Amino acid sequence: MTITIKGKPSNERGTCPAQYRFGETFSDHMYMSEYTPEHGWQNPRVIPYQALSLDPSAAVLHYSQEIFEGLKAYRSIDNQINLFRPLANIKRFNRSAQRMVMPQVDEKLHLDALKALVRLDQEWVPNEQGASLYIRPTMIATSPKLGLGASMNYTHYIIAGPAGNYFTGGLVPIPVYIADSFRRAVKGGVGEAKTGGNYAASLLASEQVSQQGYAQVLWLDAIEGRYVEEVGAMNICFVYENKHIVTPALSGSILPGITRDSILTLAPTLGYEVSELRLDIEVILADIASGKITEVFGCGTAAVISPVGTLHYKEKDYVINQNQTGDVAKHLYDQLTGIQYGRIEDTFGWVESL
Ligand SMILES: *Cc1c(COP(=O)(O)O)cnc(C)c1O
C-alpha cells in the first residue's frame, strides 16, 4: 500500500531549544489511517498535524481500548537519521493490539509510515547530542457505541516531537519509592501491553510519592507484593559486584522493554554477566545494605539509563553507590547512545537509517 504525502518539508531547524518541553511540542505532520472490518486499513497518509474528530461515544473514550509505542529518531554524527530497532516496537505494537482485541498493522506498512513521517519532518530531528525526535505510534478504538465489546473501527496514527537530552548535566541518580500498597499490573491482566489504562492506574501512586520528594515508583508484583517488577515506565537492573547485571525475568505483568532487551544482548559483549531472575525485594534490600549490589538503574527509551541513588521502602531509605552514577550505568549509557548516534559501530543490526 502506498502512503500519500500531503504536506511540505518544514524549515524548522531541529536545534531542540530548551523551551521545548518533552511531549508538549510536535512536528508539523502526522501519519493516519483508518480501519474497517470490510476494508482493513485504508487511506494511509501523512498530513499536517491536526486535531482528531471523534464521536463522544467513541469506544476509546469509555473503555480505554487503545495502545501506543515510543521510539526515537537520532541525528547521527554523519548527519544521517537513525531509527533504533523500529521493528521491535512495531512487533510489540501488534502484540499489544492482540491483547486489546485490536487489528494488526502490517509490519512493512508501519515501518514505511514511520519513515515517511520522519523523512518529511526530518528538520525536527535535533542535532544536539543526547536530543532526539520522539515518535509515538498510537491506535484507538473509534466505533461510536457504548455497548461493551470490541470496537469495529480503529484509527492508527503516529505523531512525533523533539525530546531534549534527558540528562543535561550528565547522568544523575534519582530517588525511588517502593510501592507497598499500590500495584501496577497482575499476571493475566494487561501489564505486558503498552495500553493507556496501565498508566492511568499508576498516576495516584506517582502523585503521592512525588509529594514526598521521590522521582519514581518501583512496582512489586501484585500477588505477593514481594517480587520486583519495574520502576515507573522503565525496566530495572541491579548490578552485583560491578560485573553481574540482574533484571527481573518477564513475569506476564512486566512490560518487555526494548532497552532492557538491548542491555541483555549488549552487556555480555562488554564482559558483563547477565541474568533474568525472580527478585525478592527483601533480598535486594539486604544486598544493597551489605554492599553486594553496587548499582541500580532503570532502563527505557526515554532516558536510556536512569541511575537510582536511593530506594525507599517502609519508612527506610537505602542509598546505593553513595548516590553517585556508577561505572556500569555510564558504560552502558555510552555504548547504547554511541550506537544510536553512530559514534560506535552497530554490530547488532539495530540501527535503521532513513
Ligand atoms: C515503554 C515501557 C518500558 C520501556 O520499554 P522500552 O521499549 O525500553 O522503551 C518499560 N516499562 C513500561 C511500563 C513501559 O511502558
Side-chain angles (χ1 to χ4, degrees), residues 86-343:
L87 218 51
N89 293 91
I90 287 169
K91 287 179 188 291
R92 188 171 64 189
F93 191 75
N94 278 341
R95 288 200 304 276
S96 298
Q98 188 175 31
R99 178 65 182 85
M100 303 307 291
V101 202
M102 302 172 87
Q104 298 287 294
V105 175
D106 178 77
E107 289 179 5
K108 181 169 184 307
L109 174 65
H110 202 163
L111 184 60
D112 287 348
L114 289 171
K115 288 182 171 176
L117 175 62
V118 176
R119 199 172 289 125
L120 190 64
D121 281 352
Q122 60 182 273
E123 293 302 319
W124 280 91
V125 183
N127 39 32
E128 193 191 302
Q129 267 309 297
S132 58
L133 184 72
Y134 182 81
I135 309 167
R136 170 54 62 92
T138 309
M139 194 199 304
I140 56 172
T142 54
S143 289
K145 65 160 197 177
L146 298 182
L148 192 51
S151 177
M152 302 297 271
N153 300 320
Y154 296 89
T155 296
H156 175 207
Y157 64 88
I158 307 173
I159 54 177
N165 189 344
Y166 202 85
F167 299 103
T168 40
L171 296 181
V172 178
I174 56 167
V176 167
Y177 191 106
I178 302 172
D180 46 12
S181 54
F182 291 111
R183 303 290 178 233
R184 189 189 90 93
V186 66
K187 186 169 174 341
V190 295
E192 272 186 330
K194 240 173 153 69
T195 183
N198 285 330
Y199 307 84
S202 72
L203 292 177
L204 183 57
S206 304
E207 281 289 305
Q208 290 184 359
V209 311
S210 109
Q211 276 163 18
Q212 295 182 62
Y214 295 89
Q216 295 279 356
V217 178
L218 185 149
W219 301 102
L220 299 175
D221 79 280
I223 294 167
E224 295 184 59
R226 181 168 160 197
Y227 299 105
V228 176
E229 299 233 302
E230 303 201 50
V231 54
M234 291 184 286
N235 296 111
I236 187 161
C237 295
F238 301 90
V239 183
Y240 278 84
E241 275 141 13
N242 305 306
K243 60 176 195 292
H244 183 190
I245 300 166
V246 180
T247 191
L250 298 178
S251 62
S253 47
I254 294 176
L255 197 292
I258 293 159
T259 316
R260 173 188 181 279
D261 184 74
S262 303
I263 288 170
L264 290 173
T265 307
L266 170 73
T269 71
L270 303 172
Y272 300 106
E273 195 185 331
V274 296
S275 303
E276 299 172 77
L277 300 170
R278 192 160 81 155
L279 300 174
D280 185 326
I281 190 63
E282 298 289 354
V283 175
I284 291 289
L285 294 173
D287 290 347
I288 289 171
S290 74
K292 269 202 252 175
I293 289 181
T294 45
E295 293 180 41
V296 179
F297 55 86
C299 58
T301 297
V304 187
I305 300 274
S306 180
V308 174
T310 310
L311 279 175
H312 179 95
Y313 191 54
K314 295 188 172 160
E315 317 287 307
K316 208 168 155 209
D317 274 336
Y318 297 79
V319 178
I320 302 132
N321 194 33
Q322 287 125 38
N323 200 20
Q324 301 296 309
T325 293
D327 293 341
V328 180
K330 180 80 171 64
H331 190 192
L332 291 171
Y333 177 85
D334 288 344
Q335 290 288 319
L336 275 173
T337 56
I339 292 170
Q340 290 163 341
Y341 290 92
R343 291 189 303 268

